[in-house]
Amino acid sequence: MSYTLADVEPGSIVEIIGYEGESQYEFKFISLGILPGDLVTVQSKSFFGGPISIKHGEWNFFALRYNYAKKILVKKAGA
Amino acid sequence: MENILLVGFPNSGKSTIYNLLTGQLRKVSNYSGVTVDSAQAALISNTINAKKLHVVDLPGVYNLIPTSIDEGVTTTSLLKDTSKYHTIAMVIDLDRFEASLSLLLAVKELTHKKMVAIINKNDHDLFTPDHVKKLEAKIGIPVISISALHDNEKDLDKFLRVHSDVPHMVDTTIVKPKMKLHTESRQYIPDLLLDEHFHEAPSDEVIQHMKNHQAEARGIIHDIYSHSTAKTKMTEKIDSIVLHKVWGTIIFLAIFYFIFHSIYTWAGPIMDWSEGLVASLGEFISQYMSDGFLKSLVIDGVIAGVGGVIVFLPQIMILFFLLSILEQSGYISRAAVLTDKVMSTFGLNGKAFLPYMSGFACSIPAIMAARSIPNHRERAATIMTIPMITCSARLPVYVLLIGTFIPSRTYLGFLNSQALAFFFLYFLGSFTALLVAKLFRLTIYKGESSNFIIDLPHYEKPSLLFAGKQSLKRGQVFLKKAGTIILGLSIIIWFLSTFPNPKPELIANQAPEQISAIRLENSYLGQTGKFIEPVLRPMGMNWKMGVGVLVAFGARELFVSTLGTVYALGDVDEESASLHERLMAEIDPATGQPAFNIAVAWSILIFFVFSLQCISTLAILRREMGSWKYPLFMFAYMGALGYGGATLAYQLLK
């Protein structure tokens, strides 16, 4: 099992290492500037696998649907 | 005339800038998908300038590679018929500086056109004139920094005019590369031609290209600008509560309950006052007119009809004032996050939340806003159920019937029975809309759900002035409708309910109020109502209510004005009695019991929750979906639900 953004506990900081699945996911991530090597903080998770709220870089906030967060491969920051 | 295209991210403030420059109030929202159709208007300053400039507000995009119809509109507008516009104004969102600058770089690479950059959301002057100079030097494009929310249009207007006058030196020897697109995005740009407007490329190449722009943008910003952390910290803090599993849900429910509650408690006194005003206007005028048909037309047709609807103005304005504050503050996006799981349970996209929310105002903008949903089947399921969301046109009916028949009681010290009834009707409409959407997604609109991403803008302090303007604007639209369509129809209804004259032997030796009742019963309208009465009986409705329902098929708010007209006629001698009192006093001649009771009131309410009584919605649906089959199907299934629901309610409660 690969470690994805969907598996991260709220409050943790992780580093993006790549994407899984079809290219359309990659398109959205790249155009939002969510690039490999970036650090993201998981802010909160909703009930029953709802969207995951994320802080990206210094001042970007957004939420990703659970299935979508599962497409982003991450590793523990600094690991 | 020169056209300026406004291009930028969703939520970058394009619509606010458009409002500012043109003086037109295009709805501004913090949630992507509000600008679904491109809008074009002249600058306010055209009246005092020889040069006529127009701005075009295009749908917000994250990049030029379209993934939905409205994103395709932006790409197409930029690349096709480039002679139709003069300048591209890129709106850069300071809160999402890097990614939106990357979009600017992507556009700049493809076009020979004149470009300018508007840095928006500089609400706290963090982006200084020094930053502006540095950015101009880096990207070679004129830059202005503004706060569209706080500033007036003067500086921006001057900036656009100055740069429109500067001759545009184009080095056409530099060949601009064609945009590279992969096969999947071609479906959203049917008007663009392969090899004339774009080349096809493998998606890896397209992605690498985008990465390069992101990296370039990141480098530029790193060199010139660093963001204040105070606002970010605050947003983080608020979100840790507002997006929290438990607290967030409670806050969400509390906010929406508060909205409905305040509509009641705040609007009540104003409504009483305006109701009184309408009544005294009728009395005042009646002193100066002699009895006859003209007096009846003015008092019973015009004042009773239009006046009965106008009293609902305060509620409509309060609702839009509060919704505007929520939109401006950024909370609406958080609400979308909290509701996304629910939406996806019903087979819908999180992007359906805004169309549904807009549906509380009116189905027409809501159906248009659904264009931002990329998946056709999800879009169809959303559009086909939106009109069940309680729109503002239903408010008058709900308010009248709840106010008259549901006794005001307080539970647990703060829950008001009338507010609860109101809440229930809103809930019933919304929940059924979602259930039907799920049903559609499992049957006629079956298919994969599309993915979801939602921006969470920094929290902004809402402008009360702007909220006030929005609510005023909505009020104006409502009054215009009341003033024109409803006035016209009120007169027609008065005519249909007054003529033909009853046979003289029917009214001989009868008391005046009996004559009025007989007159109405024998009118064209009364005859039609009576004709359909057998169909209405299972719902507990008599022919008078049937007349109201018939007329309401033109527009829902006409139900109230029709009752106003119908009962003014039946009660012409009674002084300044409000419609509430008239309804309470109505006796069913067949049973000797009040014609309206709680079962009948609920039956009518349920009928109005479900049934599609709006010609405009049918018309817009035909336009959006391109076929009459959609409006016909919608009308039929909603009518069946309304009839079934109302019958069930009446039979259970009677």
Side-chain angles (χ1 to χ4, degrees), chain B residues 342-382:
Chain B
V342 180
M343 289 303 209
S344 71
T345 309
F346 295 102
L348 295 173
N349 192 295
K351 283 189 174 176
F353 181 73
L354 177 80
Y356 273 120
M357 279 299 292
S358 309
F360 284 115
C362 176
S363 291
I364 291 154
I367 286 172
M368 290 178 70
R371 278 193 198 175
S372 64
I373 300 168
N375 182 301
H376 171 75
R377 285 159 185 276
E378 279 185 333
R379 179 169 166 246
T382 308

Side-chain angles (χ1 to χ4, degrees), chain A residues 1-75:
Chain A
M1 270 300 275
S2 44
Y3 188 53
T4 70
L5 198 54
D7 305 317
V8 180
E9 281 306 305
S12 319
I13 302 176
V14 291
E15 183 187 333
I16 296 169
I17 51 174
Y19 318 98
E20 274 187 337
E22 307 113 73
S23 65
Q24 52 150 340
Y25 292 104
E26 205 170 344
F27 271 103
K28 262 288 200 278
F29 293 140
I30 304 281
S31 56
L32 282 162
I34 307 166
L35 308 177
D38 288 356
L39 296 180
V40 296
T41 313
V42 172
Q43 300 271 98
S44 64
K45 288 170 131 177
S46 316
F47 279 124
F48 316 117
I52 294 167
S53 310
I54 286 154
K55 183 190 175 195
H56 168 243
E58 294 298 314
W59 61 75
N60 276 322
F61 297 92
F62 54 87
L64 279 179
R65 221 179 223 192
Y66 185 81
N67 294 341
Y68 216 68
K70 269 171 83 168
K71 305 288 178 189
I72 300 183
L73 299 169
V74 294
K75 63 172 187 180

Side-chain angles (χ1 to χ4, degrees), chain B residues 93-367:
Chain B
D93 183 343
L94 196 57
D95 286 336
R96 275 183 297 278
F97 198 6
E98 186 181 297
S100 49
L101 184 62
S102 158
L103 175 64
L104 179 146
L105 297 172
V107 173
K108 188 185 165 213
E109 186 185 81
L110 296 173
T111 183
H112 278 121
K113 284 286 178 178
K114 184 186 280 188
M115 287 177 74
V116 296
I118 302 165
I119 309 275
N120 190 27
K121 300 199 187 169
N122 190 23
D123 301 344
H124 305 288
D125 296 324
L126 298 171
F127 204 80
T128 61
D130 187 47
H131 288 127
V132 169
K133 268 185 208 141
K134 283 179 181 165
L135 186 62
E136 277 180 340
K138 288 270 183 192
I139 61 176
I141 288 172
V143 174
I144 184 173
S145 77
I146 63 160
S147 163
L149 207 60
H150 301 166
D151 299 348
N152 65 27
E153 84 286 0
K154 296 265 167 9
D155 289 344
L156 182 58
D157 189 271
K158 195 176 153 202
F159 172 79
L160 292 174
R161 289 204 175 272
V162 164
H163 289 287
S164 147
D165 289 337
V166 175
H168 185 40
M169 302 299 190
V170 195
D171 187 354
T172 43
T173 57
I174 300 172
V175 181
K176 292 279 182 176
K178 298 262 184 269
M179 185 169 70
K180 285 176 184 156
L181 281 177
H182 62 312
T183 321
E184 288 127 78
S185 33
R186 284 185 63 181
Q187 56 179 310
Y188 305 114
I189 42 163
D191 295 336
L192 294 182
L193 303 171
L194 182 65
D195 294 332
E196 189 186 329
H197 299 116
F198 65 93
H199 289 316
E200 261 200 21
S203 58
D204 283 354
E205 207 178 315
V206 179
I207 282 169
Q208 188 52 49
H209 204 70
M210 279 162 50
K211 274 188 185 166
N212 296 346
H213 287 137
Q214 291 288 349
E216 196 186 335
R218 198 170 277 191
I220 290 172
I221 291 167
H222 184 262
D223 287 349
I224 63 167
Y225 184 72
S226 68
H227 205 280
S228 138
T229 49
K231 216 162 139 189
T232 308
K233 280 253 158 65
M234 186 189 74
T235 297
E236 258 177 291
K237 258 189 197 155
I238 297 175
D239 273 346
S240 68
I241 302 163
V242 161
L243 288 174
H244 186 272
K245 278 184 190 183
V246 180
W247 307 125
T249 311
I250 293 171
I251 291 169
F252 173 80
L253 290 174
I255 286 178
F256 280 85
Y257 178 79
F258 169 77
I259 289 177
F260 299 129
H261 191 87
S262 51
I263 287 175
Y264 254 98
T265 49
W266 298 354
I270 316 175
M271 285 178 68
D272 291 344
W273 177 79
S274 52
E275 223 169 19
L277 194 74
V278 168
S280 25
L281 181 71
E283 280 174 48
F284 178 76
I285 291 176
S286 79
Q287 290 173 7
Y288 294 93
M289 291 180 79
S290 52
D291 286 343
F293 281 121
L294 187 65
K295 181 175 176 180
S296 172
L297 172 65
V298 171
I299 308 285
D300 304 326
V302 177
I303 293 179
V306 176
V309 172
I310 283 175
V311 293
F312 300 103
L313 187 64
Q315 292 196 316
I316 284 163
M317 290 184 63
I318 289 170
L319 176 68
F320 282 104
F321 182 79
L322 294 173
L323 282 182
S324 173
I325 286 176
L326 282 190
E327 282 185 323
Q328 288 182 64
S329 69
Y331 182 74
I332 287 286
S333 312
R334 274 74 184 181
V337 171
L338 294 167
T339 50
D340 179 63
K341 189 60 201 170
V342 180
M343 289 303 209
S344 71
T345 309
F346 295 102
L348 295 173
N349 192 295
K351 283 189 174 176
F353 181 73
L354 177 80
Y356 273 120
M357 279 299 292
S358 309
F360 284 115
C362 176
S363 291
I364 291 154
I367 286 172

Side-chain angles (χ1 to χ4, degrees), chain B residues 317-599:
Chain B
M317 290 184 63
I318 289 170
L319 176 68
F320 282 104
F321 182 79
L322 294 173
L323 282 182
S324 173
I325 286 176
L326 282 190
E327 282 185 323
Q328 288 182 64
S329 69
Y331 182 74
I332 287 286
S333 312
R334 274 74 184 181
V337 171
L338 294 167
T339 50
D340 179 63
K341 189 60 201 170
V342 180
M343 289 303 209
S344 71
T345 309
F346 295 102
L348 295 173
N349 192 295
K351 283 189 174 176
F353 181 73
L354 177 80
Y356 273 120
M357 279 299 292
S358 309
F360 284 115
C362 176
S363 291
I364 291 154
I367 286 172
M368 290 178 70
R371 278 193 198 175
S372 64
I373 300 168
N375 182 301
H376 171 75
R377 285 159 185 276
E378 279 185 333
R379 179 169 166 246
T382 308
I383 286 181
M384 293 300 282
T385 51
I386 279 175
M388 244 185 297
I389 302 287
T390 301
C391 67
S392 54
R394 285 175 174 104
L395 271 173
V397 183
Y398 289 4
V399 173
L400 175 76
L401 293 177
I402 291 176
T404 311
F405 295 103
I406 313 275
S408 180
R409 288 204 189 98
T410 306
Y411 303 108
L412 302 172
F414 69 101
L415 293 171
N416 176 274
S417 57
Q418 293 184 338
L420 281 175
F422 210 71
F423 193 64
F424 169 74
L425 291 172
Y426 268 80
F427 174 80
L428 184 67
S430 320
F431 189 70
T432 314
L434 289 172
L435 268 186
V436 174
K438 179 67 176 176
L439 196 69
F440 285 168
R441 291 283 287 144
L442 290 173
T443 54
I444 49 176
Y445 304 126
K446 213 150 110 181
E448 276 280 293
S449 173
S450 61
N451 45 49
F452 173 79
I453 186 161
I454 199 167
D455 282 321
L456 298 174
H458 284 65
Y459 283 101
E460 309 272 358
K461 193 171 167 240
S463 150
L464 296 182
L465 183 71
F466 188 77
K469 277 186 186 167
Q470 286 281 7
S471 115
L472 210 62
K473 177 79 183 171
R474 286 293 172 174
Q476 276 173 0
V477 169
F478 179 77
L479 277 187
K480 233 179 181 172
K481 214 173 163 187
T484 53
I485 302 173
I486 295 174
L487 173 65
L489 284 167
S490 295
I491 291 170
I492 292 171
I493 291 158
W494 172 84
F495 179 84
L496 290 176
S497 58
T498 308
F499 298 103
N501 280 321
K503 291 190 187 105
E505 61 264 30
L506 273 176
I507 48 173
N509 305 321
Q510 296 278 5
E513 57 269 21
Q514 239 88 41
I515 294 178
S516 301
I518 293 165
R519 183 178 280 284
L520 179 60
E521 203 173 335
N522 289 282
S523 67
Y524 296 114
L525 210 59
Q527 288 171 28
T528 315
K530 279 191 161 172
F531 181 72
I532 61 164
E533 197 171 32
V535 185
L536 301 173
R537 269 295 163 201
M539 295 190 285
M541 293 190 207
N542 63 21
W543 59 270
K544 283 186 185 176
M545 301 169 213
V547 167
V549 167
L550 277 182
V551 175
F553 275 108
R556 293 179 181 94
E557 52 272 57
L558 290 175
F559 181 75
V560 173
S561 58
T562 306
L563 287 187
T565 311
V566 164
Y567 284 99
L569 284 174
D571 244 330
V572 83
D573 290 331
E574 200 175 315
E575 279 182 13
S576 72
S578 72
L579 190 51
H580 293 221
E581 288 153 3
R582 285 178 198 151
L583 292 185
M584 292 285 243
E586 167 82 352
I587 299 291
D588 186 342
T591 61
Q593 298 292 312
F596 279 89
N597 53 40
I598 200 131

